[in-house]
């Protein structure tokens, strides 16, 4: 089931009032419903002015998949690309979630065949922005998707706002993505660091008690900085004390000097706010140095590829994850089955985010009856859905941050790691127990900017 709690859109209003009523509405186009569309599909190119890469020309529409194919987050990028390509195949040919999404046909989107282009962000904001710019200018992409580094996502969504091209974020966890750097043209289903703190702190308190000291090493960019801030806030709320927090450069391969300082701090718990290859390295080096014998190790955010790279070092490490195949509901099981059949591997959270975001964009375009960006944006704002494998979700209108459940995981010992499983789910924290109002937390700083048709 899915619905939208936003006001009636211009397209719906035009359909219900008829041509005579529509002619009297200031600023609204007169012809809707796709009956007089040009090009290969049902896009209403005569109903709205040119904006961004609208209208779509020809028989196909292009999505741009901008992912890290090199750099410390390349493993996550590989799985994201698998999710994107699977979504494209299902949009064109049916299968997977497309068969159950009430807005999708499995015969393209709005009558157009879905094509795609891809780029390598190299886990670098400038490189990612240049790649996205090429997709927009050269390839006429109507939507850019990607992530894995929040600095990349923030940079690209800022470009997309300027270019009036929509951005569907995959893996980005910084508070700033839908906080101070939020834009009208960007949407995120992934939860953020603030929500991780809310979900993880009670689990850590129950496991380790309410009177502990902790030490943080964090990736020194937008994501790691907001994880450090949020974990400090919510662990302090349960009675813990932060002894120190130390930034580490993205792409660090040798954490030995940082870990030595953490070991000498006298802390009870070490938080490793690292991700991807950096996260796998810091966890392995911590265990190799024997820190796990002196203090507890927590990794606030990790995923299946990262846990696999860490191997047995991930044992007993708590953290949050985007999604996991162990979640047992119809949508989750369908995605796991089709992904495994296509790639002979169990999907990760980054793959699920990529797949889901692509389908959510396509379904919104179908509901809008057009690729005209402001109308697609309005279809997503306030949209409620339960078809992405995590139960009921809402794409909040005020900051474009999905309100959703958060999986909390714990690393398995190496002896129990088999068949692609490296973690166990310990809790699926309800969306009712995390989040914040539109005037508090990261959302307090949001200014989304214009739709582009004002």
């Amino acid at each position: 089931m899915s619905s939208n709690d936003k006001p009636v859109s211009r397209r719906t209003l035009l359909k219900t009032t008829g041509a005579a009523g529509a002619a009297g509405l200031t600023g609204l186009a007169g012809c809707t419903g796709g009956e007089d569309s040009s090009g290969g599909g049902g896009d209403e190119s005569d109903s709205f002015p040119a904006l961004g890469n609208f209208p779509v020309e020809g028989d196909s529409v292009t999505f741009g998949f901008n992912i890290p194919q090199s750099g410390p987050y390349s493993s996550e990028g590989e799985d994201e690309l698998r999710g994107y390509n699977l979504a494209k195949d299902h949009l064109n040919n049916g299968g997977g979630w497309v068969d159950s999404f009430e807005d999708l046909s499995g015969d393209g989107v709005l009558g157009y065949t879905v094509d795609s282009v891809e780029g390598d962000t190299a886990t670098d904001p400038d490189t990612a922005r240049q790649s996205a710019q090429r997709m927009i200018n050269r390839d006429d992409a109507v939507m850019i998707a990607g992530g894995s580094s929040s600095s990349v996502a923030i940079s690209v969504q800022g470009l997309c706002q300027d270019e009036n091209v929509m951005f569907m974020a995959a893996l980005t966890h910084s508070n700033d993505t839908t906080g101070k750097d939020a834009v009208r043209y960007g949407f995120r289903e992934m939860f953020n660091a603030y929500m991780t703190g809310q979900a993880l702190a009670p689990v850590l308190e129950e496991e380790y008690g309410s009177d502990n000291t902790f030490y943080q090493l964090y990736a020194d960019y937008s994501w790691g900085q907001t994880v450090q801030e949020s974990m400090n806030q919510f662990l302090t709320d349960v009675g813990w004390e932060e002894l120190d927090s130390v930034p580490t450069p993205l792409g660090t391969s040798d954490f030995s000097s940082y870990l030595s300082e953490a070991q000498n701090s006298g802390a009870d718990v070490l938080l490793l706010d690292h991700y991807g290859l950096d996260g796998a390295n810091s966890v392995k080096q911590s265990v190799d140095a024997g820190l796990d014998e002196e203090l507890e190790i927590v990794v606030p955010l990790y995923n299946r590829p990262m846990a696999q790279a860490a191997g047995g070092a991930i044992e007993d490490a708590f953290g949050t994850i985007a999604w996991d195949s162990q979640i047992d509901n119809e949508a989750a099981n369908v995605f796991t089955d089709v992904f495994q059949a296509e790639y002979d591997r169990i999907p990760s959270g980054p793959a699920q985010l990529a797949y889901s975001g692509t389908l959510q964009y396509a379904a919104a375009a179908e509901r809008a009856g057009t690729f005209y960006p402001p109308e697609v944006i309005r279809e997503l704002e306030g949209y409620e859905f339960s078809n992405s494998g995590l139960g009921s979700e809402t794409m909040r209108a005020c900051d474009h941050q999905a309100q959703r459940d958060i999986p909390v995981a714990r690393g398995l010992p190496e002896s129990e790691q088999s068949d692609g499983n490296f973690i166990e789910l310990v809790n699926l924290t309800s969306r009712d127990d995390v989040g914040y109002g539109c005037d508090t937390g990261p959302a307090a700083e949001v200014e989304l900017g214009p739709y582009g048709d004002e």
Side-chain angles (χ1 to χ4, degrees):
M1 294 295 294
S2 58
S3 64
N4 195 311
D5 61 4
K6 65 179 181 54
V8 177
S9 70
R10 295 188 304 171
R11 174 175 178 264
T12 302
L13 185 59
L14 287 171
K15 287 183 68 176
T16 55
T17 56
L25 296 175
T26 303
L28 297 184
C31 177
T32 65
E35 297 176 359
D36 296 320
S37 61
S38 61
D43 198 14
E44 302 169 77
S45 56
D46 294 331
S47 300
F48 302 101
L51 184 68
N53 279 328
F54 176 87
V56 175
E57 302 293 341
D59 297 327
S60 63
V61 62
T62 300
F63 296 169
F65 302 142
N66 206 24
I67 42 88
Q69 299 180 61
S70 59
Y73 296 166
S74 59
S75 292
E76 286 73 20
E78 290 173 0
D79 230 23
E80 283 181 316
L81 187 57
R82 294 183 184 104
Y84 285 130
N85 285 331
L86 190 63
K88 179 180 71 172
D89 177 52
H90 289 170
L91 285 171
N92 288 328
N93 303 300
W97 291 351
V98 170
D99 293 345
S100 60
F101 268 44
E102 60 187 25
D103 302 309
L104 298 176
S105 66
D107 188 25
V109 180
L110 293 171
Y112 292 82
T113 299
V114 178
D115 285 340
S116 66
V117 291
E118 62 187 66
D120 180 10
T121 70
T123 322
D124 175 77
D126 291 335
T127 302
R129 190 178 178 95
Q130 292 167 11
S131 175
Q133 189 76 70
R134 286 193 297 272
M135 293 176 179
I136 293 169
N137 293 346
R138 180 192 63 195
D139 303 307
D140 295 327
V142 298
M143 181 272 282
I144 304 294
S148 287
S149 161
S150 289
S151 292
V152 162
I154 289 167
S155 178
V156 172
Q157 74 175 9
L159 169 69
C160 288
Q161 177 71 28
D162 294 340
E163 297 287 348
N164 297 115
V165 171
M166 289 184 62
F167 178 68
M168 301 298 290
L171 189 60
T172 168
H173 184 243
S174 170
N175 293 337
D176 297 342
T177 308
T178 49
K180 70 180 183 65
D181 294 313
V183 298
R184 181 73 61 186
Y185 275 68
F187 290 86
R188 171 168 66 177
E189 186 176 351
M190 177 67 182
F191 55 88
N192 60 26
Y194 193 92
M195 296 174 180
T196 280
Q198 291 175 309
L200 197 52
V203 174
L204 297 180
E205 180 190 20
E206 181 177 355
E207 183 72 17
Y208 302 130
S210 58
D211 185 19
N212 286 293
T213 57
F214 64 100
Y215 189 104
Q216 295 196 75
L217 297 179
Y218 65 92
D220 192 16
Y221 71 102
S222 175
W223 170 68
Q225 292 159 6
T226 63
V227 174
Q228 182 272 328
E229 293 166 0
S230 295
M231 292 308 302
N232 185 27
Q233 175 180 345
F234 290 104
L235 287 177
T236 300
D237 285 349
V238 299
W240 290 27
E241 178 187 357
E242 182 181 68
L243 298 183
D244 201 0
S245 60
V246 178
T248 64
L250 180 64
T252 297
S253 58
D254 183 359
F255 290 91
S256 57
S257 62
Y258 299 105
L259 293 171
S260 178
E261 293 178 6
Q263 190 172 24
N264 293 330
S265 71
D268 300 308
V269 180
L270 171 62
L271 272 66
L272 297 174
D273 308 342
H274 302 131
Y275 199 69
L277 183 59
D278 286 11
N281 284 336
S282 68
V283 172
K284 288 169 65 177
Q285 291 170 28
S286 297
V287 173
D288 289 345
L291 269 70
D292 60 319
E293 299 175 4
E294 302 178 34
L295 40 71
E296 305 295 343
I297 296 175
V298 173
V299 185
L301 182 73
Y302 62 92
N303 60 46
R304 185 177 294 273
M306 181 175 156
Q308 181 177 7
I314 202 70
E315 179 179 355
D316 287 337
F318 283 97
T320 57
I321 58 174
W323 173 90
D324 193 80
S325 61
Q326 295 175 58
I327 296 172
D328 186 15
N329 59 48
E330 183 177 359
N333 295 335
V334 167
F335 178 64
T336 298
D337 289 346
V338 296
F339 189 95
Q340 195 163 15
E342 181 68 21
Y343 299 113
D344 193 27
R345 59 187 292 131
I346 296 175
S348 66
Q352 184 267 351
L353 286 168
Y355 184 82
S356 178
T358 306
L359 297 193
Q360 295 298 347
Y361 168 81
E366 288 283 5
R367 292 194 302 274
T370 179
F371 289 113
Y372 185 60
E375 292 299 288
V376 181
I377 289 170
R378 291 182 175 103
E379 285 296 331
L380 284 169
E381 289 181 330
Y383 187 64
E384 298 180 1
F385 54 101
S386 57
N387 49 16
S388 291
L390 274 169
S392 175
E393 301 186 51
T394 301
M395 185 59 72
R396 196 158 64 175
C398 69
D399 57 359
H400 295 184
Q401 171 64 59
Q403 307 299 291
R404 46 160 287 187
D405 295 349
I406 299 178
V408 178
R410 186 179 198 169
L412 289 170
E414 193 165 18
S415 61
E416 297 179 22
Q417 295 180 5
S418 62
D419 299 326
N421 288 318
F422 308 95
I423 59 179
E424 62 174 337
L425 288 181
V426 297
N427 192 38
L428 189 60
T429 306
S430 169
R431 56 180 285 181
D432 296 332
D433 296 325
V434 297
Y436 46 92
C438 288
D439 57 351
T440 61
E445 301 181 75
V446 169
E447 294 183 11
L448 288 175
Y451 290 92
D453 62 349
E454 290 84 352

